[in-house]
Amino acid sequence: MNKRVLVNGTDKTINAVTIRELLVELGIGADPRGVAVAIDGSVVPRSQWDTTDPQRGASIDIVGAVQGG
């Protein structure tokens, strides 16, 4: 099922029905370390990635920790 969402401010058409599927679809991986996901401004706990459906029109932010100093 295709749906349009915003991912990090970019309009995307996705097929994913869970956050985990979305991460795979975007090439990030099923269980990436140091990644956080928020939908419409609310952080989605990793424990809910398999049950949270990114709804049509959602604004999804995916951020990763950056190492450095």
Side-chain angles (χ1 to χ4, degrees):
M1 164 188 191
N2 289 335
K3 51 191 159 185
R4 294 177 71 101
V5 298
L6 284 178
V7 177
N8 292 347
T10 301
D11 189 37
K12 299 248 185 213
T13 300
I14 64 169
N15 294 308
V17 294
T18 68
I19 296 298
R20 194 169 310 275
E21 288 178 10
L22 174 63
L23 295 174
V24 170
E25 188 173 320
L26 295 174
I28 297 169
D31 196 24
R33 303 261 181 218
V35 169
V37 179
I39 297 179
D40 296 327
S42 296
V43 174
V44 180
R46 187 177 292 263
S47 62
Q48 295 177 11
W49 285 6
D50 290 320
T51 58
T52 300
D53 181 5
Q55 298 293 313
R56 178 175 281 120
S59 177
I60 303 166
D61 294 305
I62 302 170
V63 296
V66 177
Q67 190 174 14

